[in-house]
Each structure stands twice: as structure tokens, then as C-alpha cells.
Amino acid sequence: MNKTLTLLREHNLLREIDDELDIYLEIPHVAYIEVKKPTSQALLFTNVVDKKNNKKFDEPILMNVFCSPKAVELLIGDGDAIASEISSLLKMKPPSGFRDKISMFNRLFNLKSVFPKRDKGRGECQEFVKLADEAKLSDLPVLTTWEQDGGPFITMGQVYTQSLDGNMKNLGMYRLQVYDDNTLGMHWQIHKDSNHFFHEYKKAGKKMPVSIGIGGDPMYIWCGQAPLPIGVFELLLYGFVKKENARLVKSITNDIYIPRDVDYVIEGFVDVENLKIEGPFGDHTGYYTLQEEYPFMKVSAITHKKDPMFAATVVGKPPLEDKYMGHATERIFLPLLQTTVPDLIDYYMPENGVFHNLIIAKIKTFYPGHAQQSMHAFWGVGQMSFVKHAIFVNADAPELNDHSAISEYILNRIDINDLMISRGVVDALDHSSPKFAVGGKLGIDCTGEVIDDLHVNIIDNHLLLEKMQDISLHVKDLKQYHIYTQNPICVISVEKQSCQKELFEALKPLYEHIKILVIVDEKNNYLDNEYMLLWRVVNNIDATRDLYFADNCMAVDATNKNEYDGFNRRWPDDVSCTPSVIASLKQRHIIDIDDKFEKEFLL
Ligand SMILES: Cc1cc2nc3c(=O)[nH]c(=O)nc-3n(C[C@H](O)[C@H](O)[C@H](O)COP(=O)(O)O)c2cc1C
């Protein structure tokens, strides 16, 4: 980790904060605000306390290590360059079926002889060893990020697991809830690799060994979040990108090998018979994840380096450091996706679409239905299957991250009578789907020509709002976007008193003025904040339930769902900062933000 600090310092990407700050809310709030700034830096908190338990920690906490594109380039490399290296290797012999693809990964990594090396003896991460009752999770400065969180969570844990026969290894980045001094929750979601291993151990009735690394080379954590298929050990990616083998040592109390240079290792065994309620936790969707049952580990050892540093991240509403991590991942996976969708030119997952809530993909189309065929392919590939809303554009479309140009291109081509609405796997974190982990999918084919002009009679915002309020006083505000395209968008905020389909039907006399009507709740939404509106809409809708069509008009109901909508799950709250913590940090001059900033990011 010291190398990381030096690198960040050399590039003016690190700030030390010596003020005394609490692991409960304060430190995460400072990091949350910092990483939203265009000039954001990594933060090293050197004066860390646990006020509630009257405790001071010796170790500093490092946060926002992936604070900017520059930091990612320094710590991971140039995503485009790595992608083109992968691409040229893949061109040697493209894989056919799924099995071939797995062996393709292994071949890819084998080419560079990048298999992790196992060293004998102890690693630096094992300079200090605490076993059994001596190994206490409360000795670590584990953060509680949000006030509704179910407790403290390790947020940058590298979770190392292996299959029952030991042949397959995995590194996954999952959050880990601290329940007590030696019980740690394992939030590997239902679709994730460690969960598959867990079921093997459960079936065999054997306890599952797990070791968790914290710190060391930040590349470990980046590899841990990379969506590689089961059976491909993420440390191969480490070796491939770094051009040097990861060096591993054996854990002290189980058989799992972990990188020798991580700052901490938490070792233990997962109980396969019992589960614990995990959460709530303010997640990267910007909402609290609902409580669910998850496995937990009993800690058998905690080891660390001589002068360890504790690594953590903060997740919540975008933008956060997963924006920068995610972008590098997106670049590197382009050539791999192209093996499944050969006509794919590029794709883009904007962070305010919380990655899998929105994808825009550019393809070379050759025949009718080509875009739909590619959408199905995406929905069939590993974690891409979580994508809820897919918009496909043709080769002549502008750059996908040129927001204004691509929005115009898309809106000139959406045919609302030709949308693909389907169902399938969604992310375990999705809160809008009627059922856990299964929900609606929307595919929009914008690869065709500009659609015919439907002569929407656009009128002024105030006048249209007045007309709407003549019909329903529950409509509170209105703003129109992209009025010069074939699909102008009219966003309204409402005080919800019924299912919004009724409102849409009541607005029928105004359909001549509307093409796409987007409805959000009045509370917690600002109609002039396009970035957070997109975040809200793609989070809150389920395509099978929330799209209404009538007379060449379409409504997108992005309000919070409840009994009016026949919604039976619990709708979670937004993740928001605690006002008293913000006020205190401001008063102590630790943060300096104004109302505009708070509104811009819906703090
Ligand atoms: C900041 C951050 C936190 C994450 N937390 C979790 C988590 O708690 N549970 C989970 O299943 N995935 C989580 N993920 C996503 C996984 O790391 C990602 O899906 C990874 O590919 C899983 O690896 P696996 O397929 O080897 O299981 C997180 C990703 C990031 C960037």
C-alpha cells in the first residue's frame, strides 16, 4: 500500500486528513463528498476514532483510491490499451461455445504465464498473527457509512474462496457485515461465484474456508469486482494486466492462498447450515438494500503487516469511485463481449444508470432484428444478464458518452410502438422488480432511420403544467426535455395518490402535447437535475409494470411503488447523508460544500 500512497502523492492525488474523525458516519461522509468533486483525491484519514466505544485506532484509513481516471490509469493501466491487447490475442482463435470460452480465458491468461505463484512460509501480511479469541473484528476500524446501515461493514474486502475440490479459485469483492467480534457476514449474491461454491460445501455438509484480504495492491480489489466467469481466477487478470505473477501465501488456519502483500487477512470458515439477516446497507444503487438472509463466517485468525493501512470505499448515489473502476472494467470487457456479439462496436454503461440499469450499445446492423438478437445475447452473458434497459444504436451514431448528441440520436429513433419488453434475471439489488432477482427488461432498437415526425404540439412548460393541474392537482411541477427531437420528453413530479396509469389516462386531452411522459415523485426529485433524474428513472422502473401506452403516447412511471401498484415488496429509502454530520463537518471546516452541491447530488 505504501507504493500506492507514493504514486498517488507524486500525482497530487492524495490528501491527508489529520482531524479526529469517527468511523461512525463521519469518515464515510467526507469520502462520499470528496469523490463527487471533479478534482477529487484519495483520502488518508490518520486520526481515526470510534467515539461510541471511546477508542482510538493506530492505523490510518485509505479511501477513494480510485478517485479519478488518472488514479485508475496509474493503479490499473490504460483500459483501452489493455482492451486492444486482449483483442489482438483473441483474434488468434475466436472461441465457439461456453466451455471454449472458459478455456479461452485460461488460454488468454496462460499465454502470458501469469498464474499466481505460491510462496512458502509466511508473507508480510502475516507479520502479526492473532488466533481464535484473540482475533477480534472490533480491533479493525470498520466503518458504518449510513445511518440506516445494519452495522459496520468492511467495504473493500477481497474475498478469496475455492471450490469444494479445490480446483477452482475465486476472488470476489463483496461487502462484509461485522456482527460481533468474530462473526462476519458474506454478502455474495445469489448469482455470484462464491455462492456457487457455498452450495457445493453445503451439499457436502462441510464448512467452507474463506480468507479476506484488505489492502495491498489496489489491483486486487479491481480484479475482485471484474465479472469473470466462474472457473477463471481473478488473479490471472492481475498477472495479465500487471505482467507479473501475483505472489500468494497460505492462510494460517485454512487452506486458502492470499496475496502476500495485503495489509490484513481475516481467516475463517463459513457455517453452511445457518444464515443471518444481512443489511440494511446503503448501496451503490443509491438505495438501501433490503435485509436478506446470507451466510456468515466465524473468524479463526486475523493477521496483518507491521504498519497496516485499512482500505475502504463508500457506495451510495452516483458518482462515486465505482464510476472510475467500472469504466476501466467496461473497456477491458469490450473485446470479450465482442466474442459473443461480433458486430458490437462499443458499449457504455453510464454510472448514473448504476451500470446494469442502463446500457447503450453500438453495433453494425446487417438485417432486421439484429439489434434484438444482440440484446438477447447480452442478456445471456454472465453479469450482463442483469442489464435492465438496453438501447442499441447503429454504427453511424455519435460517441456513446457524448450525452447530448447520443440522446438526440436515440430520441429521433425510438419507435414507442416497437419496444421489446421481456423478463429475466435482474441484479439481486434491484428494488423495483415485482420479485427478488427476476424482473422486466426493456430493449430499444434505435439502429434504424429517424422516425416520422408525429407533430407533437409542444407548448410552454408553464402552460402545459397549468393544463395538467386543471386535470389533476397531484401534478406539482413539469419540465420538458429534448423538445426538438421526434420524442420530446415531458417530466412531471407528482404527489402520488393512486396508480399513475390513472393519471396518464386522465391526461388524455393533452396527449397532442406529449410524446413520452416521465412521472417521478415530488419528494427528493428536482426536475432540472437531468443526471439524477436518469438515475431515478432507470432504478425505479420495471418495464413489465411501469410503461403505459395510449394514442402514440407513452408514460414511464418512475415513482416509488406501493400498494397502488400492487407492489408487495418493501420499497427502500434513498441513501442520504445525515444532516447533523454534514453540519458538524462543515463547522469544523473538514468539508466545504454549498446548497447547490447538495442539490446537484441529492445528498
Ligand atoms: C464497491 C463494490 C461493492 C460490491 N459489493 C458486492 C456485494 O456486496 N455483493 C456482491 O455479490 N457483489 C458485490 N459487488 C460486485 C462484485 O464485486 C462483482 O459482481 C464481481 O464480479 C463478483 O465476482 P464473482 O463473480 O467472482 O463472484 C461489488 C462491486 C463493487 C465495485
Side-chain angles (χ1 to χ4, degrees):
M1 272 294 210
N2 281 335
K3 272 195 217 150
T4 307
L5 292 188
T6 309
L7 199 59
L8 292 171
R9 252 188 217 119
E10 277 170 9
H11 291 84
N12 195 24
L13 287 171
L14 181 74
R15 187 150 54 91
E16 282 185 32
I17 300 188
D18 301 330
D19 304 77
E20 183 182 280
L21 284 167
D22 197 351
I23 52 172
Y24 180 74
L25 306 185
E26 284 189 348
I27 289 175
H29 276 50
V30 175
Y32 184 66
I33 284 161
E34 173 67 20
V35 77
K36 290 181 181 297
K37 295 181 180 164
T39 54
S40 91
Q41 293 174 298
L43 298 178
L44 186 68
F45 297 92
T46 57
N47 193 350
V48 178
V49 295
D50 173 0
K51 281 191 190 145
K52 194 171 104 200
N53 294 306
N54 199 17
K55 195 167 173 172
K56 185 166 167 45
F57 294 94
D58 292 333
E59 53 270 79
I61 299 182
L62 179 62
M63 295 189 74
N64 296 348
V65 66
F66 297 109
C67 57
S68 66
K70 180 73 192 166
V72 175
E73 194 186 322
L74 290 170
L75 300 172
I76 309 294
D78 173 359
D80 288 316
I82 301 167
S84 72
E85 190 181 354
I86 295 178
S87 178
S88 58
L89 289 170
L90 290 175
K91 279 185 186 132
M92 289 177 177
K93 181 180 176 290
S96 49
F98 177 72
R99 291 210 160 273
D100 200 16
K101 217 158 276 166
I102 298 257
S103 70
M104 178 257 312
F105 273 105
N106 285 326
R107 204 174 57 231
L108 187 67
F109 294 142
N110 203 9
L111 275 171
K112 292 279 174 182
S113 311
V114 288
F115 279 93
K117 285 208 166 125
R118 291 179 167 194
D119 293 342
K120 292 216 158 49
R122 288 193 176 181
E124 302 86 283
C125 61
Q126 294 162 328
E127 280 167 340
F128 290 77
V129 176
K130 284 185 180 158
L131 298 172
D133 290 348
E134 292 276 282
K136 290 196 177 80
L137 291 167
S138 59
D139 286 344
L140 305 178
V142 184
L143 303 171
T144 303
T145 309
W146 303 112
E147 64 183 24
Q148 287 184 37
D149 280 0
F153 286 79
I154 294 174
T155 51
M156 261 202 169
Q158 308 152 30
V159 180
Y160 294 89
T161 53
Q162 61 186 24
S163 57
L164 182 64
D165 61 12
N167 288 337
M168 288 197 273
K169 317 269 183 244
N170 196 69
L171 159 59
M173 178 183 190
Y174 319 118
R175 68 167 186 248
L176 309 156
Q177 180 167 2
V178 174
Y179 291 104
D180 58 40
D181 262 346
N182 83 337
T183 314
L184 194 59
M186 303 283 116
H187 187 255
W188 47 59
Q189 293 152 6
I190 186 168
H191 309 109
K192 304 299 171 74
D193 296 349
S194 301
N195 188 50
H196 297 306
F197 294 165
F198 172 77
H199 283 285
E200 291 182 359
Y201 287 89
K202 187 172 165 58
K203 205 167 161 198
K206 292 198 171 150
K207 56 187 185 170
M208 173 178 177
V210 178
S211 288
I212 289 142
I214 299 171
D217 189 334
M219 178 73 102
Y220 300 134
I221 203 73
W222 179 78
C223 292
Q225 55 83 55
L228 292 174
I230 190 163
V232 181
F233 189 21
E234 283 72 8
L235 288 184
L236 298 170
L237 180 62
Y238 175 97
F240 179 78
V241 176
K242 281 275 251 220
K243 314 259 177 288
E244 64 187 51
N245 313 75
R247 305 295 296 256
L248 311 183
V249 289
K250 192 182 132 344
S251 297
I252 290 173
T253 55
N254 66 32
D255 288 338
I256 303 285
Y257 278 75
I258 28 106
R260 58 177 305 137
D261 65 332
V262 292
D263 286 68
Y264 296 89
V265 184
I266 305 170
E267 304 178 6
F269 292 87
V270 167
D271 176 342
V272 293
E273 292 307 325
N274 297 297
L275 301 172
K276 265 186 187 297
I277 289 290
E278 201 268 358
F281 178 74
D283 219 312
H284 83 119
T285 55
Y287 286 79
Y288 281 93
T289 331
L290 302 179
Q291 288 181 312
E292 304 274 352
E293 289 192 316
Y294 273 90
F296 60 90
M297 162 178 140
K298 283 288 174 194
V299 176
S300 51
I302 298 181
T303 74
H304 63 85
K305 277 182 176 165
K306 185 156 162 275
D307 291 311
M309 199 158 48
F310 191 80
T313 186
V314 56
V315 291
K317 289 174 185 151
L320 293 173
E321 72 179 308
D322 57 358
K323 162 180 174 173
Y324 304 114
M325 284 166 99
H327 180 68
T329 316
E330 180 197 274
R331 292 301 83 203
I332 289 170
F333 277 78
L334 174 63
L336 302 170
L337 267 173
Q338 284 166 331
T339 65
T340 306
V341 183
D343 301 310
L344 178 69
I345 300 168
D346 198 3
Y347 76 113
Y348 175 49
M349 301 175 95
E351 81 282 354
N352 53 334
V354 190
F355 303 104
H356 38 256
N357 283 344
L358 178 64
I359 190 171
I360 308 175
K362 189 189 275 193
I363 55 168
K364 279 177 266 171
T365 40
F366 295 120
Y367 40 80
H370 199 162
Q372 284 83 349
Q373 182 188 40
S374 308
M375 288 170 196
H376 284 298
F378 266 60
W379 286 329
V381 181
Q383 293 183 39
M384 268 297 164
S385 60
F386 302 158
V387 166
K388 285 208 307 185
H389 308 110
I391 303 177
F392 275 60
V393 297
N394 216 334
D396 65 348
E399 287 296 318
L400 300 181
N401 58 5
D402 178 345
H403 294 172
S404 154
I406 197 70
S407 305
E408 194 175 312
Y409 180 97
I410 290 169
L411 289 169
N412 278 328
R413 287 167 177 77
I414 296 181
D415 177 353
I416 60 167
N417 296 311
D418 191 22
L419 302 179
M420 184 160 81
I421 297 175
S422 172
R423 283 181 84 227
V425 167
V426 294
D427 191 278
L429 300 181
D430 187 76
H431 61 267
S432 70
S433 56
K435 277 188 187 171
F436 169 71
V438 178
K441 306 270 187 191
L442 175 65
I444 309 181
D445 178 0
C446 295
T447 59
E449 297 299 317
V450 173
I451 59 162
D452 292 341
D453 191 345
L454 293 169
H455 305 292
V456 182
N457 177 11
I458 296 291
I459 55 172
D460 171 77
N461 284 336
H462 292 291
L463 186 57
L464 187 54
L465 178 60
E466 257 175 45
K467 284 176 182 280
M468 284 203 187
Q469 289 178 331
D470 284 345
I471 294 172
S472 168
L473 282 174
H474 294 142
V475 179
K476 297 297 172 186
D477 200 2
L478 178 150
K479 184 171 165 72
Q480 296 174 93
Y481 282 97
H482 304 289
I483 52 174
Y484 298 111
T485 66
Q486 305 295 47
N487 282 291
I489 298 180
C490 172
V491 188
I492 57 171
S493 60
V494 297
E495 187 192 333
K496 182 166 166 168
Q497 298 288 343
S498 62
C499 171
Q500 296 307 291
K501 190 164 189 215
E502 289 171 23
L503 175 68
F504 181 54
E505 284 166 1
L507 294 176
K508 189 174 167 73
L510 302 179
Y511 284 175
E512 61 169 311
H513 304 300
I514 305 166
K515 184 69 191 297
I516 299 180
L517 179 72
V518 174
I519 312 171
V520 295
D521 289 298
E522 183 189 20
K523 196 176 160 212
N524 292 340
N525 289 300
Y526 299 109
L527 297 197
D528 52 359
N529 188 340
E530 206 174 348
Y531 180 91
M532 293 311 292
L533 278 177
L534 179 80
W535 163 79
R536 180 76 76 191
V537 172
V538 292
N539 246 316
N540 270 10
I541 64 169
D542 180 276
T544 55
R545 181 193 55 221
D546 300 328
L547 305 181
Y548 316 128
F549 300 88
D551 300 350
N552 266 325
C553 242
M554 166 185 177
V556 178
D557 175 5
T559 57
N560 297 353
K561 301 300 170 317
N562 55 27
E563 65 281 3
Y564 298 135
D565 310 285
F567 187 79
N568 298 323
R569 300 171 69 198
R570 202 174 75 75
W571 192 271
D573 287 343
D574 282 19
V575 171
S576 301
C577 292
T578 301
S580 59
V581 173
I582 295 288
S584 155
L585 292 170
K586 274 186 186 172
Q587 200 217 340
R588 287 183 279 158
H589 305 290
I590 294 165
I591 56 168
D592 175 21
I593 51 167
D594 55 17
D595 291 351
K596 185 169 164 277
F597 186 94
E598 294 192 26
K599 210 173 150 185
E600 184 178 349
F601 297 110
L602 297 187
L603 286 194

